[in-house]
Amino acid sequence: MTFQSILDEIENNLKKILDGLSIPDVKFSVEPAKPGFGDVSSNISFLLSKQLKKKPKDIAEMLSEKYSHYSNTLVLKTEAHPSGYLNFFANWEKLPQLILSESYLDEFGDVDIGKDSTIVVEHTSVNPNKALHIGHIRNIIIGDTVSRILNKANYKVKVLNYVDDSGLQVADIIVGFNHFGFNQEPPAGKKFDHYCGDDVYVKTTEKYEKDSSLEEIRKNVLKELEDADSETAKFADKITKRVLANQLETCWNLAVSYDCLNFESQIIRSGLWSKIFEKLKEMTLIEFENEGKNAGCWVIRGENKEEDKVIVRSNGTATYIAKDIPYAAWKLGLLEDPFNYKKYEKEQPNSRILWQSTLDKANSVSQDFSGDKVVTVIDSRQARLQKIITTLMGKFKSIPDAYIHLGYESVTLSSDTAKILGLDTDGKQTQMSGRKGLYVNADSVYDILKEKTKQETQKRHPEMISSEIEKIAHYVSVGTLRYEMIKQDLDKIIAFDLTKSLSLEGDTAPYIQYTHARASRILENSGLTPSIDVDFSLLKESSEIALIKIIGLFDLQIRDAANNLSPKVIARYCHDLAVAFNSFYEKVKVLELGDEKLENSRLCLVNSFKITLEKALDLLGIMAPDRM
RNA sequence: GGACUCGUUGCAUAGCUUGGAUAGUGCGAACGCUUGCGGAGCGUUAGGUCGCCGGUUCGAAUCCGGUCGGGUCCGCCA
């Protein structure tokens, strides 16, 4: 039982009181109180104020008096605050025992929102013609963190990465290799994906700008790519797979993994489109336009004042958005699966099996990667298109909100960083651009962070062997990067600054990880294995109670994060845990107290904190070293 | 022209879904804390018309309408 148990007890008792007064159902709140107002607060008096025609304060007093007649084991006393709130003070003789013993269990924090249903989370989905930049990383970390949270909330999560391996962006690097003489091997020391993005892609598009006659070559390559058996398509397949392998290395390094890779080229060749096209016509969700500017096209009618959206051009080819419709339907399991699956060539670091779709029937098996629900992580610039998809899927699937677009604001470059990259933006932040070479590669950011943390660790521990320093620096850099990507609201722009964004103090991952290291050292120095068979009533200091209370809120936070698909909730929780522990650490001594019983109780609390923090950080994909 | 989104202290942000009590945090600034389980830490102080106007309400940072400012989207491109 966690803090939730006292909330339940209070809610039940208040309901009984209302029954006794024959007051019909009122949706009052019972939630953890703000500091200084007891442990639990309810707004019940405000809600009753109107129908009872009394002041909230008077109602609170009345309820407070009545409450004492009901059996309660976890509430010590109630208080009617002059403001009208009804506040409850927990029995801190009993609650610590409940919370701390729960925290030692494997299933601590588990909540059942998903009811074991399946949910698909699609994220990453980058063209395989360049290295991942810091903007892609936001998408990837959001997606990965959300899938971890959903998993904890009892969903069966399937993580997909949709590889956009056809279309212009890929055509451009193929043009570079085949027509502009770029070597197929990168210069020594450069990763292939960096080479394709930084050199081949950027310089090829530069050439178009200087000489528009080259566009012809581009068009021809694009056409050749459509035919799977063409030499160009086979070559492109080789190149994109190689870039993809590099991109996956970057993701794996950041503790991100997947269940399946889907390829756009295969979706196009699978015939899924014609099936969904028929279905759309049948359900009259699209209409053929006989006149006007869209004459000869199939369109989706715009809602309200929005423009109609062309789905099939007058020449019979499908538009960009049309390619997303069959994929969305496939993810929801609305179409017969045309794919077979085979294992990806390389194993993921966490040994999770990675499948990839294939149209090749040989050496492959069938699998099910569809879900009852689908979460698609794409930045907010795609909100309009995603809304169309969401609306369509809503008409296909009966479950409400089966298709969810999880949007987020993009990562921009600060004006200083843009300047470093050669663009004067007049003091304003600016959007990244792969085509213009205006971006910061994720690998570079990781490298810079790692170098910095390595130096810091070395300074603190001159005696430490290099492999351990390496490991710590890795955890801290991954932690920092991941934490920075999710600690704030999804719809706030992150203006990335190469020099400023790498702080290791304050509200950062290293602060939290450091706190964990402190706890680890206490346990290590004690030389004991903490047991939960201790006297919890000895934990009376306010900083102890505060820490226990936060530990007990773990499952409430997970519920909040999962319901709102909000990774920052967990980030804040980790920070709050760390703050509470540091305050405890400062005020209360654990070891060498000369009082074995008290020492054991406190050790148990320290261990409980450590376990909880590790679990919470795990949801963020962050590891906490025991020393740093 | 239409739509979406953000606006909280010098800067960066939490709280807004579900209206109530003292608007929480970090950076930066000033001061203080190590013969203490690790100072990537802790504490104290200063700093706030919650963009602006209006409405709903006993009560609005929170809900509604308007308005201003920043960002984004609106192609038979992808």
Side-chain angles (χ1 to χ4, degrees):
Chain A
M1 295 296 270
T2 66
F3 202 79
Q4 182 70 49
S5 52
I6 186 173
L7 298 181
D8 291 344
E9 180 181 301
I10 292 169
E11 189 175 341
N12 282 332
N13 281 339
L14 286 177
K15 273 186 183 156
K16 281 184 204 157
I17 293 175
L18 289 189
D19 274 353
L21 294 168
S22 28
I23 293 170
D25 266 357
V26 183
K27 279 200 174 169
F28 56 89
S29 72
V30 176
E31 46 196 23
K34 282 207 229 174
F37 296 103
D39 298 303
V40 178
S41 297
S42 175
N43 66 351
I44 187 162
S45 329
F46 297 113
L47 303 179
L48 294 180
S49 162
K50 206 166 221 171
Q51 49 171 302
L52 297 185
K53 297 205 166 69
K54 281 185 187 166
K55 286 181 187 163
K57 179 174 172 282
D58 297 339
I59 296 171
E61 275 166 5
M62 180 269 288
L63 291 172
S64 174
E65 195 277 322
K66 283 209 185 299
Y67 196 91
S68 59
H69 302 304
Y70 285 81
S71 77
N72 52 82
T73 50
L74 300 174
V75 173
L76 203 59
K77 63 165 179 157
T78 58
E79 184 185 82
H81 191 271
S83 64
Y85 268 108
L86 185 55
N87 294 331
F88 300 83
F89 292 76
N91 182 346
W92 288 107
E93 302 262 314
K94 288 187 183 167
L95 216 44
Q97 153 97 50
L98 289 179
I99 290 172
L100 297 185
S101 54
E102 175 90 6
S103 75
Y104 275 65
L105 304 175
D106 281 344
E107 62 267 28
F108 181 49
D110 288 2
V111 291
D112 188 12
I113 296 173
K115 317 258 187 250
D116 209 29
S117 61
T118 56
I119 191 162
V120 165
V121 177
E122 182 213 325
H123 66 78
T124 309
S125 308
V126 180
N127 289 104
N129 72 327
K130 55 176 169 289
L132 300 173
H133 64 57
I134 190 71
H136 300 127
I137 296 302
R138 188 171 192 187
N139 177 300
I140 293 166
I141 301 304
I142 290 169
D144 186 65
T145 309
V146 163
S147 58
R148 285 164 186 263
I149 292 167
L150 290 173
N151 187 53
K152 188 84 176 155
N154 200 22
Y155 282 98
K156 273 193 212 126
V157 183
K158 301 172 183 181
V159 181
L160 308 182
N161 178 357
Y162 179 69
V163 183
D164 299 336
D165 63 341
S166 55
L168 265 189
Q169 295 215 14
V170 168
D172 283 343
I173 59 166
I174 301 306
V175 169
F177 285 121
N178 281 349
H179 298 273
F180 296 165
F182 280 97
N183 198 309
Q184 277 183 45
E185 288 308 313
K190 192 153 193 173
K191 261 175 88 192
F192 187 67
D193 57 343
H194 288 227
Y195 169 62
C196 287
D198 299 353
D199 302 312
V200 184
Y201 183 46
V202 171
K203 284 170 192 160
T204 298
T205 46
E206 258 173 30
K207 283 191 198 235
Y208 295 142
E209 268 166 34
K210 283 182 194 145
D211 183 354
S212 56
S213 67
L214 297 172
E215 292 280 348
E216 202 57 34
I217 300 175
R218 191 192 203 185
K219 265 187 205 161
N220 288 337
V221 167
L222 200 54
K223 197 175 264 175
E224 286 163 34
L225 284 176
E226 282 171 21
D227 175 9
D229 296 323
S230 72
E231 286 305 310
T232 309
K234 283 178 187 162
F235 176 65
D237 190 59
K238 206 176 91 186
I239 296 289
T240 52
K241 288 271 163 59
R242 199 170 160 194
V243 172
L244 173 64
N246 280 183
Q247 290 180 342
L248 287 174
E249 278 169 28
T250 304
C251 300
W252 292 339
N253 189 45
L254 298 176
V256 174
S257 58
Y258 306 88
D259 292 306
C260 186
L261 306 169
N262 298 112
F263 297 91
E264 184 176 71
S265 57
Q266 291 174 12
I267 302 257
I268 292 171
R269 289 165 198 155
S270 68
L272 275 180
W273 164 246
S274 51
K275 283 184 195 161
I276 201 80
F277 187 34
E278 288 311 313
K279 207 163 173 174
L280 289 168
K281 282 194 270 193
E282 243 169 63
M283 296 175 71
T284 62
L285 295 171
I286 58 173
E287 292 173 40
F288 188 76
E289 197 73 278
N290 281 310
E291 53 193 28
K293 63 172 183 171
N294 292 333
C297 301
W298 287 90
V299 301
I300 293 179
R301 291 280 174 236
E303 287 183 28
N304 301 324
K305 288 176 183 173
E306 282 171 21
E307 298 262 327
D308 294 347
K309 190 78 205 165
V310 172
I311 299 298
V312 177
R313 303 183 184 98
S314 54
N315 69 5
T317 57
T319 57
Y320 170 67
I321 181 175
K323 290 178 198 164
D324 263 11
I325 299 171
Y327 184 49
W330 173 85
K331 284 189 285 189
L332 281 168
L334 298 169
L335 297 167
E336 197 189 329
D337 192 352
F339 302 114
N340 268 23
Y341 301 88
K342 57 181 183 184
K343 286 187 185 169
Y344 187 70
E345 297 80 32
K346 268 186 155 178
E347 197 183 334
Q348 302 191 91
N350 60 357
S351 303
R352 179 182 193 161
I353 297 172
L354 178 58
W355 296 90
Q356 55 183 333
S357 61
T358 174
L359 289 167
D360 190 0
K361 298 291 172 198
N363 306 318
S364 60
V365 294
S366 65
Q367 289 280 322
D368 183 5
F369 287 107
S370 67
D372 302 317
K373 284 190 168 200
V374 168
V375 174
T376 303
V377 184
I378 311 185
D379 79 72
S380 312
R381 285 174 296 190
Q382 300 264 11
R384 202 187 193 87
L385 292 182
Q386 283 297 311
K387 202 183 148 207
I388 294 175
I389 307 265
T390 306
T391 310
L392 278 182
M393 294 306 125
K395 294 187 174 150
F396 288 147
K397 189 112 178 172
S398 53
I399 300 176
D401 302 323
Y403 186 92
I404 299 165
H405 167 220
L406 185 60
Y408 61 93
E409 268 299 342
S410 46
V411 180
T412 63
L413 296 172
S414 73
S415 68
D416 287 347
T417 300
K419 203 172 260 175
I420 294 171
L421 297 172
L423 184 80
D424 197 338
T425 58
D426 203 23
K428 284 184 180 170
Q429 51 177 261
T430 185
Q431 291 281 336
M432 286 191 236
S433 161
R435 200 169 47 81
K436 293 179 194 155
L438 204 60
Y439 53 83
V440 179
N441 280 327
D443 292 331
S444 324
V445 176
Y446 170 81
D447 289 344
I448 294 168
L449 268 172
K450 191 166 177 186
E451 193 47 44
K452 195 171 168 182
T453 48
K454 232 172 172 172
Q455 282 173 15
E456 184 66 29
T457 314
Q458 239 148 16
K459 205 164 70 192
R460 287 159 188 266
H461 305 284
E463 80 296 345
M464 206 177 256
I465 56 170
S466 65
S467 63
E468 191 173 1
I469 291 181
E470 191 75 20
K471 193 178 99 184
I472 291 168
H474 174 68
Y475 286 166
V476 173
S477 341
V478 171
T480 303
L481 200 47
R482 290 193 64 127
Y483 194 78
E484 291 307 310
M485 289 295 126
I486 52 121
K487 78 171 177 188
Q488 57 193 341
D489 204 274
L490 296 183
D491 43 31
K492 258 170 184 148
I493 295 169
I494 297 179
F496 184 81
D497 190 293
L498 206 42
T499 46
K500 280 186 204 153
S501 70
L502 310 174
S503 166
L504 307 176
E505 287 162 21
D507 184 11
T508 65
Y511 168 81
I512 297 165
Q513 290 169 314
Y514 178 74
T515 311
H516 174 268
R518 279 179 143 183
S520 299
R521 295 292 284 167
I522 293 178
L523 294 168
E524 202 180 307
N525 290 337
S526 81
L528 297 170
T529 314
S531 98
I532 50 165
D533 189 19
V534 299
D535 187 356
F536 291 101
S537 63
L538 296 175
L539 302 172
K540 292 185 180 122
E541 296 289 331
S542 62
S543 61
E544 291 170 333
I545 301 291
L547 182 57
I548 295 166
K549 202 157 137 186
I550 293 190
I551 290 172
L553 293 176
F554 189 34
D555 55 341
L556 298 178
Q557 299 294 320
I558 291 173
R559 192 173 289 281
D560 185 7
N563 279 330
N564 297 306
L565 299 177
S566 182
K568 73 171 175 197
V569 170
I570 303 300
R572 295 194 69 73
Y573 179 66
C574 288
H575 183 253
D576 290 348
L577 264 176
V579 168
F581 182 81
N582 277 326
S583 171
F584 161 83
Y585 185 92
E586 209 68 23
K587 285 175 193 144
V588 178
K589 204 164 146 46
V590 177
L591 301 177
E592 292 167 36
L593 297 172
D595 178 345
E596 204 181 322
K597 278 188 177 171
L598 181 59
E599 198 168 314
N600 277 331
S601 301
R602 286 188 177 160
L603 274 174
C604 179
L605 173 56
V606 171
N607 197 37
S608 179
F609 159 77
K610 182 171 133 92
I611 293 169
T612 308
L613 183 60
E614 280 167 2
K615 284 196 167 118
L617 283 174
D618 182 57
L619 294 173
L620 304 181
I622 297 174
M623 299 283 284
D626 287 327
R627 305 183 63 178
M628 59 184 277

